[in-house]
Amino acid sequence: MSSFASLSQDPYSRTRSLDVYVIDLDHDTAGSYFLTAFHQTPPGNLTLNWIFKQPSEFPSGFADKVENGKAWAVVYMNSNITARVNQIIESILYGYSYNSISYIPSSAVNIVYDEGRNPNTVDGFTLPPIQIAIATASANYAAYIQARIDSYSNATFNTVMMAVSLSQIISSPIGFTNVNLHPASSYARSLATGLGYLFLWLIMTALVTVNIRITTPLVKKIKLIDIAIIRILSAIFNSLIISLIYSLCVLWFGNFTDAIPFIRFWLFNWLAAYTCVSIIALFSLNLGVMAHIVLILFLILNFSTAGSSLAIELQYTFYRIG
């Protein structure tokens, strides 16, 4: 079945879509209201692709598609939801004991997503439309249940009391449970792996500028190859120290608990810092004064792709130059 919100008019549709897989395991009345709600629900602030799938298309489990980045979320209604709700309706209409019936509305639907992929995109653009669709399905299904109970003409005092005691389930029969594969427990980590690198860029720009000014007077005194070696070794050392300080700041605010991930993070930041140094030095040594304009434009482009509000893979291809 085709997606609800098509991006065919967008030339970057295949790379900017927020694919959300919708699956019905109930295959009954509740499942019908569930699917209809997604067909009727707008995609929110950022266009979503409601892609309706069959359970057989997920041999490795629903979480696998989210883990591999194929979808931003998988929303599925569990099996036998209609049957369990029907038991509640029958307990109201025919006076059965509800004690033997176990049903929690939040168990009806599961939302599988990965907040660690980009917390701003997931929390700000992906989850709200999904939750609205589920709320719509719940409201429509609740109206169906209420109409079915009202049509029962032989209402007794026990029937009314049973309906009152189960009013919460009747009024909201379809809830959801969040299955967050990788919670973004600390917002500092998100900033550190996105917007924070711009500050790293600015610091390395200052260090490269100082390095060039210090070594420029030595051009006429020592060999050019020696100056190049001095600049390279200085850049490697400065990158190592600055990346360590940067990583320690993230360690303090981001609450790392294991040593090995921190060391990997530090080494990655060292590589990132030295890459910044190479780019800055390349422009500064070859363009002179014009390098400042180019580097400012480069900084602006990187600011737009920092991922602080929207994941990089959802942005236009032009901005991915960052």
Side-chain angles (χ1 to χ4, degrees), residues 124-166:
F125 297 108
T126 307
L127 293 181
I130 294 174
Q131 294 168 356
I132 291 174
I134 295 174
T136 301
S138 182
N140 294 337
Y141 191 35
Y144 163 79
I145 294 174
Q146 190 62 50
R148 183 176 172 184
I149 294 175
D150 292 343
S151 65
Y152 185 68
S153 58
N154 296 326
T156 63
F157 177 78
N158 290 334
T159 300
V160 175
M161 293 303 296
M162 182 72 74
V164 171
S165 64
L166 300 176

Side-chain angles (χ1 to χ4, degrees), residues 171-185:
S171 61
S172 182
I174 300 177
F176 62 88
T177 298
N178 289 327
V179 182
N180 190 356
L181 301 180
H182 302 289
S185 57

Side-chain angles (χ1 to χ4, degrees), residues 11 14 57 104 107 145 157 216 245 255 276 292 303 317 322:
R14 299 311 304 165
E57 300 180 54
I104 301 174
S107 66
I145 294 174
F157 177 78
T216 298
I245 296 173
N255 190 27
C276 292
H292 297 289
F303 181 78
T317 306

Side-chain angles (χ1 to χ4, degrees), residues 45-318:
N45 295 329
L46 189 69
T47 303
L48 301 182
N49 279 342
W50 303 132
I51 301 179
F52 300 90
K53 296 283 190 176
Q54 297 298 324
S56 57
E57 300 180 54
F58 298 84
S60 301
F62 299 131
D64 183 61
K65 297 293 184 182
V66 179
E67 286 275 12
N68 294 333
K70 301 298 182 182
W72 282 82
V74 174
V75 187
Y76 63 94
M77 171 168 279
N78 290 299
S79 58
N80 299 322
I81 298 301
T82 300
R84 293 162 67 185
V85 172
N86 284 341
Q87 285 184 313
I88 295 175
I89 297 175
E90 291 175 359
S91 70
I92 295 174
L93 298 180
Y94 306 112
Y96 297 158
S97 174
Y98 178 70
N99 295 332
S100 61
I101 304 173
S102 176
Y103 178 71
I104 301 174
S106 60
S107 66
V109 176
N110 285 354
I111 306 175
V112 183
Y113 62 95
D114 182 0
E115 188 182 32
R117 185 174 179 182
N118 189 291
N120 293 321
T121 299
V122 171
D123 298 335
F125 297 108
T126 307
L127 293 181
I130 294 174
Q131 294 168 356
I132 291 174
I134 295 174
T136 301
S138 182
N140 294 337
Y141 191 35
Y144 163 79
I145 294 174
Q146 190 62 50
R148 183 176 172 184
I149 294 175
D150 292 343
S151 65
Y152 185 68
S153 58
N154 296 326
T156 63
F157 177 78
N158 290 334
T159 300
V160 175
M161 293 303 296
M162 182 72 74
V164 171
S165 64
L166 300 176
S167 59
Q168 184 175 0
I169 295 178
I170 296 173
S171 61
S172 182
I174 300 177
F176 62 88
T177 298
N178 289 327
V179 182
N180 190 356
L181 301 180
H182 302 289
S185 57
S186 176
Y187 190 69
R189 296 186 183 183
S190 176
L191 291 177
T193 55
L195 196 61
Y197 285 109
L198 299 185
F199 295 98
L200 191 63
W201 167 271
L202 293 174
I203 294 173
M204 300 317 298
T205 300
L207 289 176
V208 170
T209 302
V210 171
N211 192 1
I212 292 176
R213 288 183 179 180
I214 292 176
T215 56
T216 298
L218 302 176
V219 173
K220 297 180 180 180
K221 298 180 180 180
I222 61 177
K223 296 180 181 180
L224 186 61
I225 185 64
D226 294 332
I227 295 177
I229 292 175
I230 292 174
R231 288 176 174 175
I232 291 174
L233 293 177
S234 175
I236 293 175
F237 178 75
N238 291 336
S239 301
L240 176 66
I241 299 303
I242 295 300
S243 62
L244 176 59
I245 296 173
Y246 179 77
S247 301
L248 288 174
C249 292
V250 179
L251 172 66
W252 178 265
F253 292 106
N255 190 27
F256 275 89
T257 56
D258 297 322
I260 293 179
F262 171 75
I263 294 175
R264 291 175 179 172
F265 182 62
W266 172 27
L267 295 179
F268 175 81
N269 289 335
W270 185 13
L271 177 62
Y274 189 74
T275 302
C276 292
V277 168
S278 302
I279 296 172
I280 296 167
L282 176 66
F283 284 113
S284 299
L285 293 174
N286 290 278
L287 298 181
V289 179
M290 287 295 295
H292 297 289
I293 299 176
V294 175
L295 293 176
I296 290 174
L297 292 176
F298 197 82
L299 177 65
I300 294 173
L301 286 175
N302 276 273
F303 181 78
S304 66
T305 61
S308 57
S309 60
L310 186 62
I312 294 176
E313 59 267 38
L314 297 175
Q315 300 182 17
Y316 285 97
T317 306
F318 171 77

